[in-house]
Amino acid sequence: MLNAFSYEKESHHETMAIYLRAMALKEEIARRKTFAIISHPDAGKTTLTEKLLLFGGAIQTAGAVKSNKITKTAASDFMEIERQRGISVATSVMVFEYNGMQVNLLDTPGHKDFAEDTYRTLTAVDSVILVIDSSKGVETQTRRLMEVCRMRDTPVIVFINKMDLEGQDAFDLLDELEDELNIKVQPLSWPISKGYSFKGVYKLYDRTINLFESLKTKVSEEIVSISDLNDPTLDQLVGEYAQQLREDVELIESVYDPFDREKYLQGKLAPVFFGSAMNNFGVKELLDKFLELAPTPQHRESSARVVEPEEAKFSGFVFKIHANIDPRHRDRIAFLRVCSGTFERNKFYHHVRLDKDFKYPNPVTFMASAKTTIDEAYAGDVIGLYDTGNFKIGDTLTEGETMMFKGIPSFSPEIFKELVNKDPMKSKQLEKGIRQLTEEGVAQLFIQEPGNRKIVGTVGELQFEVIRYRLEHEYGAKCEFESKTFYKACWITTDHPEKLIEFRRIKGQNMVKDKDDNDVFLAPSSFMLDMERKNYPELEFHFTSEFKVAHA
Ligand code: G4P
C-alpha cells in the first residue's frame, strides 16, 4: 500500500520528469535553425545548398544534389515533370548537424510555375537566405519572394553570389537591394574586386581577409588577419586593389552603425555576404554567421493565442502536401512544421478541423535525400506524415486544444481558367477530384454562384496539365479548361457590409467565393480595378487572403 511518503516521492519523481523533459525540449529548440534558401532561378540556390550540405557532412561529394529545377519540357510531357518534381520532393527538407546545431533546410521548387509552393514553404521557416546573382541583381522572383518574407517580417540574410563573374558594382547592388526589396541592408563582408580579378572578401566583423582561390570541390580558404588596413601586408596580398578596399571600408564604416542583430531578427535589416557558391568561396563564413545570427524556432500566432515553441504540449501545421502520382500508391505526404513541444510517433493527436484524433505510425524526416522514420520531433522540425486524404493545407494538429495556426495565405493566381466537365456521367468524380487537388495546393478553386461554376487559378500553365492528368488518372474524370482573361483575384474587406452587398450584386459576373467562403473579385484588368477602387472607396481590395504589407 502507498503511504503519504511514497505519494510524495512519486509526485516528486513526476515533477522531476516534467522538469527534465522541459529542459531537454528547451535544449533541442536552442540548437535548431529552420530556414529556406530562396532565389530567382539560376542565381545559385542549388549550388549553395549543395555546398552547405557538404559542410554539414550530409553529402560527401559535390554534384550529389540535383537541381530541383524542372527542366524545360513540353507541357504534354506531364509524367516527366512529375518525375522531376519527385526528385525535389525527396529533398523537401534537408536535415544536417553542424557545430552541434541541427540545421533544417527547407527546399523550395525552382520552377516559377510552382511559386505558390515556395510561398507556403516560407510560412514554415524562421529565416531565409536570399541568393542574388551579382551580375543580374534583383530579379522578378527575388521581388516576389521577398514580398512574402516582408509580410511576415522573416529575417533575411543576403548572399551575393558569382563574384567570380564580372558583376555589378557592390555599392550599386546594395542600393538596388534596398530600393527594390523594401528592406535596409548592411554588408558584413566586402568583395575585393570582382570577376577575373576577384581577390577575396574582407570580413568587416572580424577584420580578416579570405583570399579567393578557384576550387570547386575542396574547401580551402586562406584566411589572413588584417588588424590595420594600412598594413603593407594588404598590398602584398591583393596588390593594386588594396587602396580601393581601404576607401570602400572607410566609406562603409562611416555610413553604417555597428550591426544590430535585433533589427535583423525583426526583419528590418538584412546582413549581406559576398562569395561564389560554385567555387565554395564565402560559403563557410556564411554558414557560420548564419548559425550565429539566425533565430531559433519562433513563436507562432494561432486563432486562439500565441504559441511558444517551449510549450510542453505538441502543436503543428501542414504547409505542403505532396501526392504520390503513382495510382497504385494513393498515399500522400503532408509536411508538418512542429510549432511547439515534442511530436511523438504513434501518439494520438487532435486534427482540429475534422475534430478527430489520429496517430501516425511512420512519421519521416529527411536526411539529405534519404527518408528516415523518426520517433520524436521538436519545435522547429519539419516532418512528413503519410496521409490518406485527411489533410488540407493549413490544417493544425494539437494535443486537444482547439486552435488553427495563422499565416498561410493564398496569393492571387496569375492565370485563370474555367473547368468544364467533359463527361457528365462523372461529375461527382470531377467535383471530388478538383476539391482534393486544390486542397493539396495544386491550384486555387473559386466557385461562382449561381451555377456552381469552377474557376481554377494558378501561377503557371503547368498546373493545368497536372490537374487534367490527375483528374483523369486518379478520379476517372475528364475535363477541359477555358481561358478567362482576369487580371487578379482580389480579396475584399470592408467596414460597410451594405456596400459589399451592392458591389456583389452589380459585379456578379466577376464575383466568386474562395475555399474558405471569402468574397473574391476577379478583376478583368488593372484599369478596371482602379476604377472600382475609385467607385467603391469603402471597399478594400487585396492581392492575398491575408493583409499586411502586401496590400494590393
Ligand atoms: P538555381 O538553383 O538558383 O537555379 O541555380 P544553380 O545552383 O543551378 O546555378 C545556376 C548556374 O549558375 C549553374 O550553371 C551553376 O554552376 C552556376 N553557378 C552557381 N554559383 C556560381 C558561382 O559562384 N559562379 C559562377 N560563375 N557560376 C555559378 P549551369 O551552367 O546552369 O549548370 P552546371 O552545368 O554548372 O551545373
Side-chain angles (χ1 to χ4, degrees), residues 37-50 66-69 108 110 131 133 159-165 212 216 275-281:
I37 302 179
I38 53 174
S39 76
H40 186 86
D42 272 346
K45 181 166 70 75
T46 311
T47 315
L48 179 63
T49 303
E50 174 173 289
K66 293 279 167 284
S67 165
N68 70 0
K69 260 181 295 181
T108 52
V131 184
D133 179 333
F159 182 70
I160 299 190
N161 190 30
K162 306 198 187 181
M163 289 307 295
D164 57 317
L165 299 180
F212 176 65
K216 291 185 186 163
S276 166
M278 190 178 80
N279 291 292
N280 216 340
F281 185 78

